[in-house]
Amino acid sequence: MKLQSFFSYVLIFFTTITLLLSSSHPVSANQTNQAGFLQCLSLRFNDSNIVSRVIHTPNDTSFSSVLASSIQNPRFSAPDTPKPVLILTPVQPSDVQSAVKCARRFDIHIRTRSGGHDYEGLSYVTHKPFVILDLSNLRSITIDIDNRSVWVQTGATIGELYYEIGKKNRTLAFPAGVCPTVGVGGHFSGGGYGTLLRKHGLAADHVIDARVVDARGRVLERREMGEDFFWAIRGGGGSSFCVVLSWKIGLINVPSTVTVFNVTKFSEQSSLKIIHRWQFVADRVSNDLFIRVMLQRYKNMVRASFPGLYLGSVNNLLKMVNREFPELGLEEDDCQEMSWIESVVWFAELGEEPIDVLSKRTRASLAFKAKSDFVQEPMPKTAILKLWRRLQEPEAEHAQLIFTPFGGKMSEIADYETPFPHRKGNIYEIQYLNYWREDVKEKYMRWVERVYDEMSEFVAKSPRGAYINLRDLDLGMYVGGKMSKYEEGKSWGVKYFKNNFERLVRVKTSVDPFDFFSDEQSIPPFKSVEVI
């Protein structure tokens, strides 16, 4: 036996014994399975250096820091939040294969974490024994400028992706989100949108291949997985079907000069007038123009902001806005010309920083709760006034309402092309957010619920839609009982995916019939006699 292998087996023995002895209770079946899982992994790695870098037990000094490294909602970092029995940090794709194969063999529940931005923390929290598969080490980005394509591993953030693109070419871009610390793994698999969605659609619309580990531990690319499987992971939430190792994406062209702008209003009357008119303009103007509405408190006053991006010069922007949306009152001093990659820094509110700031990984400091809606008919001014008045309440000190315009390319892509169904007919999306610092969270969460309930008559119905990347467990989650998992999952699945839910269920049943990849809101396999 090689010396390297000998030390590996010694490490297996002591790690397993430590895990078992860490509990004062009799050894349970779960603990036996966990020990078997550890041994299985260690034997597959067969290298003590890899074992120590990949496997983190609660007794390791690295455990707490690794767990906290990607918790992007401090609501799930409290002492009473359930913790994993192990954290795995793969350093190569074969480590993920080993984790999946060993987990299936020993009935270990896995949660996959890319950037940790799941709004309900489902990538790193659940109420049964579980293991976190943290992909943050798998973050390579390989750009092919000639073919305008990129292979990006799912542990990378969209900020790191943007930075690498911007370093190489200032007229190539990718249409994803505005928060640079979001991981590409979850973001792309849920759809993913940002300032370019009206011109180019979702991030998922530009995924041209993927490399995944399926429930049998096989590495598959698009050709091997088949078109149904490939369709499902581009908007249906990849964690329901597999572990996505990497995405191949197509880049898009942007002008060498773009214009960013922001108009700010504090007057209730003036703001309501602009927002009301915005509803008739924002989804119909040129696809080159993106104007968001953001409502929040600032120095104890409600502030309406209208940040935007125009794919062109200031002069052309002013001509267009003054012609089609004069109510905004946009002036040249509100605008700034720059490159697209610099506009990404601007929209992320990172100040006058060089573009390498996009590659920095930071953690959120405020806990939050969010909900989402889609609006298909302009809301009356009375509804907008309700939102304004809600923001004046004490619980809304750090609240934020974001209106994101659709139309353009979003209306040109059929609702069945990817699992993301909220396309033609939607004027804009609303995101309701509330943040807080204190341990007492109930009053802030109730504020979000009240606002959401008040908007029910003004938003999309039958079903009332929601966006999977703004996950909301209030829509429902698996609780078990006499109802089949399919019937349970459908109640919220149709809100996220509408008619695409049934196709997602068929794909799930085909590729993961035993529901290895699952969470509180995952796509269920269809089993007519299944009882949880």
Side-chain angles (χ1 to χ4, degrees):
M1 183 183 293
K2 295 180 180 178
L3 185 61
Q4 177 179 328
S5 296
F6 170 77
F7 283 117
S8 178
Y9 289 123
V10 170
L11 182 61
I12 295 166
F13 174 79
F14 281 109
T15 303
T16 303
I17 293 300
T18 299
L19 180 70
L20 290 172
L21 293 181
S22 63
S23 171
S24 59
H25 301 289
V27 176
S28 66
N30 276 333
Q31 288 174 311
T32 301
N33 285 357
Q34 292 160 21
F37 175 63
L38 264 175
Q39 186 173 17
C40 177
L41 282 177
S42 302
L43 289 170
R44 283 181 174 274
F45 294 156
N46 198 29
D47 184 328
S48 59
N49 290 326
I50 293 179
V51 169
S52 61
R53 290 174 61 193
V54 174
I55 300 175
H56 309 270
T57 74
N59 293 313
D60 294 339
T61 55
S62 62
F63 184 84
S64 294
S65 61
V66 172
L67 175 61
S69 63
S70 294
I71 293 180
Q72 296 292 352
N73 189 346
R75 176 155 63 103
F76 304 108
S77 61
D80 59 346
T81 300
K83 304 296 189 292
V85 295
L86 287 173
I87 303 173
L88 305 179
T89 53
V91 295
Q92 55 196 6
S94 61
D95 298 342
V96 178
Q97 285 184 278
S98 296
V100 170
K101 289 178 178 179
C102 291
R104 279 202 66 172
R105 179 180 174 186
F106 289 97
D107 194 25
I108 297 295
H109 184 67
I110 281 183
R111 291 296 170 97
T112 304
R113 184 169 72 174
S114 174
H117 277 269
D118 186 291
Y119 271 28
E120 298 282 9
L122 297 192
S123 61
Y124 52 89
V125 175
T126 188
H127 288 275
K128 59 183 175 181
F130 70 106
V131 169
I132 292 177
L133 188 62
D134 186 305
L135 302 179
S136 57
N137 289 330
L138 302 180
R139 58 205 288 186
S140 71
I141 300 170
T142 305
I143 300 177
D144 183 342
I145 292 293
D146 293 337
N147 292 308
R148 299 196 314 168
S149 65
V150 180
W151 272 105
V152 52
Q153 288 187 311
T154 55
T157 65
I158 58 174
E160 290 169 338
L161 173 63
Y162 291 151
Y163 173 59
E164 293 300 323
I165 296 169
K167 277 198 310 183
K168 292 184 177 292
N169 191 300
R170 292 295 176 107
T171 60
L172 289 177
F174 189 71
V178 298
C179 178
T181 58
V182 170
V184 304
H187 188 63
F188 295 1
S189 72
Y193 68 71
T195 60
L196 294 173
L197 89 164
R198 300 196 63 252
K199 182 71 172 182
H200 296 286
L202 304 176
D205 298 332
H206 297 268
V207 172
I208 55 181
D209 204 342
R211 191 171 292 127
V212 308
V213 174
D214 73 355
R216 293 166 60 183
R218 300 175 300 176
V219 174
L220 307 174
E221 294 188 8
R222 178 174 183 174
R223 184 174 58 182
E224 293 86 21
M225 73 177 80
E227 288 304 300
D228 281 346
F229 196 163
F230 183 63
W231 172 86
I233 62 175
R234 292 177 298 131
S239 61
S240 286
F241 305 94
C242 59
V243 178
V244 180
L245 295 172
S246 53
W247 304 103
K248 185 179 183 182
I249 57 174
L251 302 180
I252 50 97
N253 291 315
V254 289
S256 57
T257 298
V258 304
T259 302
V260 298
F261 59 90
N262 189 28
V263 175
T264 301
K265 301 289 182 181
F266 288 94
S267 163
E268 179 183 289
Q269 184 177 359
S270 175
S271 299
L272 296 185
K273 179 182 176 182
I274 296 172
I275 296 169
H276 187 257
R277 179 60 184 158
W278 174 89
Q279 297 180 102
F280 294 88
V281 175
D283 68 317
R284 300 178 185 180
V285 293
S286 166
N287 297 0
D288 291 330
L289 179 60
F290 171 91
I291 308 176
R292 219 174 201 175
V293 176
M294 301 183 72
L295 297 174
Q296 60 195 108
R297 287 260 284 279
Y298 179 76
K299 293 184 177 179
N300 217 29
M301 295 183 290
V302 178
R303 179 181 69 184
S305 300
F306 302 87
L309 171 71
Y310 177 66
L311 300 175
S313 68
V314 169
N315 288 338
N316 288 340
L317 167 65
L318 290 173
K319 290 176 185 177
M320 178 189 298
V321 172
N322 289 333
R323 182 179 67 247
E324 301 192 35
F325 191 17
E327 295 86 353
L328 182 61
L330 183 66
E331 299 177 355
E332 188 171 354
D333 289 344
D334 301 318
C335 308
Q336 186 177 353
E337 290 185 342
M338 58 183 63
S339 66
W340 171 79
I341 189 64
E342 290 169 332
S343 80
V344 175
V345 177
W346 186 89
F347 261 95
E349 300 180 2
L350 296 174
E352 301 290 331
E353 294 287 336
I355 65 170
D356 64 359
V357 71
L358 295 170
S359 64
K360 295 181 179 179
R361 294 194 171 213
T362 58
R363 287 178 52 207
S365 59
L366 295 177
F368 68 90
K369 171 64 183 178
K371 290 179 176 291
S372 61
D373 264 322
F374 293 90
V375 178
Q376 298 175 339
E377 298 288 341
M379 291 194 293
K381 287 183 180 179
T382 53
I384 303 169
L385 179 60
K386 282 185 179 180
L387 294 175
W388 188 277
R389 297 288 169 82
R390 282 295 186 191
L391 284 164
Q392 295 173 334
E393 296 175 345
E395 301 89 342
E397 181 182 1
H398 300 292
Q400 191 175 54
L401 303 175
I402 304 172
F403 298 6
T404 299
F406 277 32
K409 189 69 172 180
M410 291 295 288
S411 295
E412 297 170 12
I413 299 174
D415 57 9
Y416 55 80
E417 289 293 327
T418 70
F420 182 95
H422 312 287
R423 305 279 189 167
K424 187 176 181 179
N426 293 286
I427 302 175
Y428 59 98
E429 181 218 57
I430 304 178
Q431 184 175 176
Y432 314 90
L433 281 156
N434 203 359
Y435 299 86
W436 62 88
R437 295 183 187 278
E438 305 97 295
D439 293 334
V440 180
K441 61 186 179 182
E442 285 74 16
K443 63 180 180 179
Y444 303 103
M445 295 178 68
R446 282 197 299 270
W447 183 91
V448 177
E449 292 167 8
R450 286 197 303 271
V451 175
Y452 179 78
D453 290 343
E454 284 183 350
M455 291 297 106
S456 61
E457 64 180 294
F458 308 112
V459 298
K461 302 175 181 66
S462 301
R464 184 176 184 176
Y467 177 29
I468 187 64
N469 276 3
L470 308 180
R471 191 191 298 279
D472 179 10
L473 288 183
D474 293 343
L475 300 179
M477 56 183 172
Y478 297 114
V479 296
K482 294 182 179 180
M483 188 181 293
S484 71
K485 192 166 187 178
Y486 164 80
E487 291 172 313
E488 275 194 292
K490 186 174 182 178
S491 66
W492 60 83
V494 296
K495 296 175 182 178
Y496 289 134
F497 307 113
K498 300 174 75 171
N499 292 336
N500 293 330
F501 175 73
E502 297 296 340
R503 184 178 176 189
L504 288 168
V505 170
R506 291 196 297 271
V507 175
K508 173 72 170 182
T509 305
S510 172
V511 305
D512 186 19
F514 298 104
D515 205 21
F516 175 74
F517 295 110
S518 63
D519 60 44
E520 285 77 2
Q521 281 192 342
S522 57
I523 299 296
F526 182 73
K527 294 181 181 179
S528 58
V529 296
E530 178 185 17
V531 176
I532 301 172

